[in-house]
Amino acid sequence: MKKYAMLVFALLLSTTLLAQNGLTGQVVEQTTKNPIPGANIKVVGLSVGATTDFDGFFNLDTDLQTPFTVEVSMIGYATKSIEITDLSADLRVELLESVSELDAVVVSASRTPERIMESPVTVE
């Protein structure tokens, strides 16, 4: 009886593993070709995604039928959308560094203590 239960369990596990497709690849910087760790790979329109490891590699397990679109993003880099037509090929994504400028911040101070003047109670 144990052998029969183990055989059924192994068959069910193998069919579950075969039903999943995997998208694998690497995310690198466009100019230096260095890997980008921590980049986000997300299927557009769904809450399915993955993150790259220290060497920029990722593995996105999905059961979606091709074609579908993935979006690759990382802080400091331009977001890139890629249409996936073949799950068997390794994907290599090159992200371009984006430059964003911030507005100037002006800090000013006065010599008179304004908080004392605004106080509703007399300060001695």
Side-chain angles (χ1 to χ4, degrees), residues 96-113:
L96 183 62
E97 188 175 351
S98 68
V99 178
S100 60
E101 294 183 20
L102 301 175
D103 293 335
V105 177
V106 178
V107 178
S108 64
S110 66
R111 295 183 67 160
T112 28

Side-chain angles (χ1 to χ4, degrees), residues 32-71:
T32 62
K33 306 297 187 221
N34 289 334
I36 300 176
N40 299 314
I41 297 90
K42 183 179 93 82
V43 178
V44 174
L46 298 175
S47 61
V48 177
T51 306
T52 58
D53 62 4
F54 186 72
D55 296 324
F57 290 102
F58 67 91
N59 186 11
L60 178 65
D61 291 328
T62 181
D63 56 355
L64 293 173
Q65 298 296 325
T66 56
F68 60 91
T69 305
V70 294
E71 186 176 81

Side-chain angles (χ1 to χ4, degrees), residues 83-105:
E83 186 170 346
I84 305 300
T85 56
D86 184 19
L87 290 173
S88 63
D90 281 344
L91 185 65
R92 184 176 173 94
V93 181
E94 295 182 355
L95 293 182
L96 183 62
E97 188 175 351
S98 68
V99 178
S100 60
E101 294 183 20
L102 301 175
D103 293 335
V105 177

